[in-house]
Amino acid sequence: MPYFTIATAAEKSADFRRVLWTGEHTQLVIMTIPVDEEIGEEVHEDTDQILTFVSGTAKVVLDGSTKSCAQGDLVAVPAGAKHNVINTGENPLILYTVYGPPEHAPDAVHHTKEEGEAAEESGQDEPPQ
């Protein structure tokens, strides 16, 4: 049975993306966005996403609206919404996200954004069917 102290787990990982748990309908992922970096504008056509910020500061762009976020803030991203998360702070931005349904391979660990993008493009980062 998976149990997490989520803030501790997120703060211990320096990886851009690390899947912690994958269920039949949802997936828990922790992310670390380096200073002056961003997730990159994206749309998940069939996946809802909940972003929860553990530490750092961010600018979240959601379908053209912009909001500043920090520790303790949560943003719900509905399926089909264009979104981006940009680190605006002087330290890495740490967050966790819940996807429903899963968005990544169950054991995905991407040390950098570039590694994650390459895994997605090559088909190595496919969610379970």
Side-chain angles (χ1 to χ4, degrees), residues 22-68:
T22 301
E24 185 176 345
H25 303 287
T26 57
Q27 184 174 61
L28 176 62
V29 176
I30 53 178
M31 299 185 75
T32 299
I33 313 302
V35 174
D36 297 325
E37 296 286 329
E38 61 187 61
I39 289 175
E41 191 172 85
E42 60 185 5
V43 175
H44 305 294
E45 291 296 339
D46 300 314
T47 303
D48 293 322
Q49 185 175 10
I50 297 172
L51 305 163
T52 305
F53 296 88
V54 174
S55 66
T57 57
K59 177 172 76 171
V60 177
V61 182
L62 180 60
D63 276 341
S65 295
T66 301
K67 172 85 171 142
S68 294

Side-chain angles (χ1 to χ4, degrees), residues 67-128:
K67 172 85 171 142
S68 294
C69 292
Q71 180 179 353
D73 289 339
L74 181 146
V75 177
V77 180
K82 186 183 298 184
H83 60 283
N84 193 6
V85 178
I86 303 154
N87 183 347
T88 58
E90 298 178 5
N91 297 303
L93 174 66
I94 300 171
L95 62 107
Y96 64 91
T97 184
V98 177
Y99 294 99
E103 180 70 15
H104 298 284
D107 58 352
V109 176
H110 304 129
H111 302 295
T112 65
K113 177 180 175 183
E114 295 75 21
E115 187 178 301
E117 289 172 343
E120 288 173 7
E121 289 174 14
S122 71
Q124 293 177 332
D125 187 29
E126 293 295 319

Side-chain angles (χ1 to χ4, degrees), residues 1-13 20 28 30 54 94-96:
M1 178 84 47
Y3 291 95
F4 304 98
T5 303
I6 193 64
T8 303
E11 288 177 339
K12 285 184 178 180
S13 176
L20 287 184
L28 176 62
I30 53 178
V54 174
I94 300 171
L95 62 107
Y96 64 91

